[in-house]
Amino acid sequence: MSRSAYWILVRDFDICLVNDEIPLGSISQFGFEHHQPIQIGEYHSTPFFLLQADERDQHRTFVNLRSQLFREETLRNLLHRAVSLNHFLNTHRYCGRCTTPLVMAENEMALHCPNCHHRIYPTISPSIIVAVRRDKQILLANHLRHKGTIYTTLAGFVEAGESIENAVHREVWEESGIKIKNLRYFGSQPWAFPNSLMLGFLADYDSGEIRLQEEEICDAKWFHCDEALPELPPEGTIALKLIQATLELCKQA
């Protein structure tokens, strides 16, 4: 393949950079010929291909997807797509019905069983993330995975048979012990760790005192919009956007 394209070589949650940039050029220019390219979109009218890393790529420079959140939204979402699809392909090698090795479908992004014709589509796991305001204060929590560092909003996965709205109320109650009201949809973000779609909400405090879910949360506090804030999530995350939008509402209150 001699045409110019973007090549996203993925290893777990890491992507390969060349001179700190997404490789753009011919497949031979970067020595990727031993990979089977899978087109997953376009960027600036240029094809965007996923390549799955193997032991022959040990010498290459890989960086974690989280380090690339600063990139503009279209490119950032394509990187999430590449990492998520790589995980899907690596974890769905055999048919769950008859154990036959799966192959790529010809006409869509799916895996196909040539024996029983079962078809499997990429997994997307919906999760919610919510910023809660009380007058001029915002609720921020320090999760175990960020112990002693980042304070952020509350979040969690939607359970089977549960509406998105109920998931928001349940997660806030479970993690903080408070009840919320005036729930408003804010926006969404793909989050390929490994296959989440984060649905963001704004909410107002209703009642209750903070009671931590200690198996997930180290600390949670109300922070006044005019006081110094702890370390927040990085640029490019919907968590930071939710916090910034809520702080603006706090200042207007």
Side-chain angles (χ1 to χ4, degrees):
M1 185 180 294
S2 60
R3 62 173 167 163
S4 181
Y6 288 95
W7 307 99
I8 310 303
L9 183 67
V10 180
R11 182 184 65 193
D12 297 325
F13 301 119
D14 299 337
I15 63 173
C16 175
L17 297 183
V18 176
N19 297 323
D20 294 323
E21 293 297 334
I22 308 300
L24 171 62
S26 68
I27 195 169
S28 59
Q29 179 180 341
F30 302 104
F32 292 152
E33 300 97 324
H34 61 281
H35 293 288
Q36 180 62 45
I38 303 170
Q39 185 168 356
I40 61 172
E42 289 189 350
Y43 182 60
H44 291 166
S45 301
T46 302
F48 198 94
F49 286 93
L50 163 64
L51 305 173
Q52 294 189 274
D54 58 32
E55 65 278 357
R56 291 168 289 185
D57 299 304
Q58 295 299 320
H59 65 287
R60 302 187 187 277
T61 300
F62 287 86
V63 299
N64 191 270
L65 176 61
R66 292 177 187 271
S67 70
Q68 303 302 300
L69 296 178
F70 68 91
R71 298 189 183 272
E72 63 94 10
E73 184 176 8
T74 301
L75 178 56
R76 187 171 67 235
N77 287 352
L78 281 167
L79 295 178
H80 277 284
R81 179 171 172 81
V83 171
S84 183
L85 288 175
N86 180 68
H87 177 80
F88 168 68
L89 294 172
N90 284 335
T91 55
H92 294 77
R93 297 181 182 273
Y94 300 94
C95 178
R97 285 182 175 175
C98 69
T99 72
T100 300
L102 296 168
V103 298
M104 288 292 298
E106 295 182 358
N107 58 345
E108 59 183 344
M109 182 58 68
L111 291 171
H112 180 76
C113 176
N115 181 52
C116 72
H117 306 295
H118 180 51
R119 186 156 290 200
I120 303 173
Y121 294 89
T123 302
I124 300 175
S125 301
S127 60
I128 61 88
I129 182 167
V130 56
V132 181
R133 180 180 69 90
R134 184 177 69 178
D135 297 325
K136 288 183 173 291
Q137 297 176 310
I138 182 173
L139 178 66
L140 296 175
N142 182 219
H143 294 73
L144 285 175
R145 63 183 179 276
H146 298 138
K147 188 173 182 178
T149 57
I150 293 173
Y151 275 70
T152 185
T153 52
L154 301 180
F157 285 100
V158 180
E159 297 181 350
E162 182 178 47
S163 71
I164 299 295
E165 295 79 6
N166 283 347
V168 178
H169 286 276
R170 174 183 55 77
E171 284 289 346
V172 172
W173 169 255
E174 289 178 354
E175 294 189 352
S176 70
I178 68 172
K179 293 185 178 181
I180 56 174
K181 61 183 179 182
N182 195 20
L183 190 64
R184 294 97 70 200
Y185 177 71
F186 178 81
S188 64
Q189 180 180 39
W191 195 247
F193 298 102
N195 49 27
S196 296
L197 175 62
M198 302 185 76
L199 306 168
F201 292 85
L202 301 172
D204 295 332
Y205 168 82
D206 184 30
S207 62
E209 298 295 329
I210 293 176
R211 170 187 48 77
L212 300 181
Q213 186 180 27
E214 295 183 353
E215 59 268 29
E216 292 192 24
I217 306 292
C218 301
D219 187 30
K221 297 177 182 177
W222 293 104
F223 290 88
H224 195 281
C225 63
D226 293 330
E227 72 176 301
L229 296 175
E231 181 181 354
L232 299 177
E235 290 287 343
T237 60
I238 192 172
L240 182 60
K241 292 180 181 179
L242 283 165
I243 292 170
Q244 292 170 337
T246 300
L247 290 173
E248 285 299 314
L249 292 173
C250 289
K251 293 174 182 179
Q252 297 168 16

